[in-house]
Amino acid sequence: MSERVRVAVVGAGGWGRQHARAFSQHSKAELVGVWSRDLGRAEARATDWHTKGFDDLDRMLDETTPDLVSVCLPNTEHFLLTRQLIARGIPLLVEKPLVFDLAEGETLIREAAERDLFFAINFNHRYAVPVLRARDDLAAGRLGELEFLTWRFGGEGGSDHHPHANLIETQCHGIDLLEHLGGPIESVTADMTDAQGNHPTVVATLRFAGGAVGSLLGSYNSSYAYPGTHLLEVNGHRGRLLIEDTVKRYTFSTAGEPTREVWEASYFDDRSRSFEQTFDTHLDALLPALQSGAPPPVPARAGLRALTVATAIIQAHQTGRRTQVPSG
């Protein structure tokens, strides 16, 4: 592979703009094409970043010979096109959610594994500075044995495309981070609001394999304009950490101490305060991994895992009983 990874972006929507921007601006990448079903949109996006637009996927792949394809499509349209790309044997980075159906997700993971394919997913919350600091403090043992973890995240959203859209496509970040910081979730209970068969708000109680308990509260009937729209807390016997609005603030407190350690981005540190640029930081890890033949830093299997936990939450709500989460 050359010094710069040749990348084609599939999708010309809102978040696809961030994919095109990030790859175009990254020193280890070269954006070689943008695909959309609408040629006009593909060409307009490509023009922004001095590359070529396509509405024929196979033609783009044949002409541009990418080292990596980055897939950023409407959330419910991931399965068929991702499977088509897996069949072409091209390394992939896909957006969350992996898919909405567990069997479809298992199919994608299996077919990629059969080809020993580099297959990554963009859980970019992992690359926010507060989350990176949280991982460091947990690894250093500063929190001690974990007692509870809680995630809250609410904003505007629509559930017309899937009754559990909020849980699967947005709270997947919460499921991923809670396990990223607290280890595997082994069982869940849940309740949800009901809006003509859709479930815009979900609350789940969680039991972790390590003995801690936790909660997840997510809603599409809130507002991203509200202060404190997002909060993640991890509480241990020796200390507590708080992550506010993903990129805004990180606070560590030692048990019994009235003073706290607080991180916030400094005046000129626009990148650290930008949610969008958590994707750039993910690429800082992903592109060298691809070039060196290492596994992706966030494998697509993490997307399947988040969907597995989400499916257990749905089952717990439907049955009114605590539901075991399959391991893996």
Side-chain angles (χ1 to χ4, degrees):
M1 193 176 296
S2 64
E3 247 180 60
R4 297 172 71 197
V5 176
R6 296 171 57 82
V7 182
V9 170
V10 170
W15 193 246
R17 179 182 297 108
Q18 297 300 327
H19 282 235
R21 175 201 58 76
F23 284 114
S24 293
Q25 295 176 348
H26 203 286
S27 62
K28 291 186 178 294
E30 176 188 2
L31 182 64
V32 297
V34 175
W35 175 90
S36 172
R37 294 182 180 90
D38 183 323
L39 182 59
R41 293 185 69 179
E43 290 179 336
R45 179 63 47 78
T47 298
D48 289 342
W49 302 106
H50 311 292
T51 189
K52 187 173 181 181
F54 297 85
D55 63 354
D56 184 316
L57 182 59
D58 286 321
R59 181 179 165 223
M60 180 178 74
L61 300 177
D62 293 339
E63 287 190 12
T64 64
T65 60
D67 302 311
L68 176 73
V69 174
S70 188
V71 182
C72 191
L73 293 170
N75 288 333
T76 56
E77 299 178 16
H78 290 185
F79 176 66
L80 291 177
L81 198 140
T82 302
R83 194 178 190 190
Q84 179 182 347
L85 289 164
I86 289 172
R88 290 286 302 246
I90 301 170
L92 291 177
L93 167 64
V94 298
E95 265 300 335
K96 59 81 195 172
L98 180 63
V99 286
F100 281 78
D101 178 80
L102 204 52
E104 290 182 349
E106 290 167 348
T107 295
L108 295 179
I109 297 299
R110 182 182 67 254
E111 293 183 357
E114 288 170 353
R115 294 164 173 80
D116 194 24
L117 194 64
F118 185 97
F119 190 17
I121 192 165
N122 183 36
F123 277 140
N124 55 305
H125 283 234
R126 292 193 188 193
Y127 289 93
V129 171
V131 177
L132 296 172
R133 285 178 169 261
R135 285 277 287 183
D136 287 344
D137 283 341
L138 284 161
R142 298 187 72 194
L143 280 80
E145 181 182 349
L146 298 188
E147 188 70 15
F148 69 85
L149 302 88
T150 185
W151 164 278
R152 177 177 54 75
F153 189 32
E156 297 89 352
S159 301
D160 293 343
H161 53 292
H162 193 280
H164 296 286
N166 168 50
L167 173 61
I168 293 173
E169 70 189 17
T170 294
Q171 306 311 325
C172 60
H173 280 300
I175 294 168
D176 179 68
L177 277 194
L178 287 166
E179 291 204 324
H180 188 56
L181 300 178
I185 297 166
E186 67 175 17
S187 67
V188 298
T189 65
D191 204 355
M192 304 180 188
T193 58
D194 193 305
Q196 297 180 328
N198 294 327
H199 304 285
T201 299
V202 56
V203 59
T205 64
L206 319 168
R207 178 167 291 280
F208 291 81
V213 295
S215 64
L216 177 147
L217 172 62
S219 182
Y220 269 175
N221 280 339
S222 186
S223 176
Y224 296 119
Y226 294 158
T229 193
H230 167 258
L231 180 71
L232 172 58
E233 175 180 358
V234 182
N235 198 299
H237 291 186
R238 294 176 55 190
R240 180 184 78 162
L241 63 85
L242 291 175
I243 294 170
E244 297 173 70
D245 289 342
T246 310
V247 296
K248 182 178 181 180
R249 185 180 297 114
Y250 176 73
T251 304
F252 178 83
S253 302
T254 299
E257 292 290 334
T259 58
R260 298 169 291 168
E261 301 171 23
V262 179
W263 173 91
E264 293 182 5
S266 60
Y267 183 83
F268 290 108
D269 190 3
D270 291 335
R271 177 166 174 163
S272 293
R273 70 168 58 87
S274 165
F275 175 79
E276 288 83 0
Q277 291 191 62
T278 57
F279 181 57
D280 302 60
T281 308
H282 185 185
L283 296 187
D284 290 344
L286 183 145
L287 292 170
L290 177 61
Q291 289 176 310
S292 67
V298 188
R301 186 170 292 278
L304 181 63
R305 176 61 186 175
L307 181 60
T308 299
V309 177
T311 300
I313 291 171
I314 293 167
Q315 292 173 348
H317 168 64
Q318 291 173 339
T319 63
R321 298 173 182 168
R322 176 168 294 276
T323 299
Q324 296 298 122
V325 180
S327 60

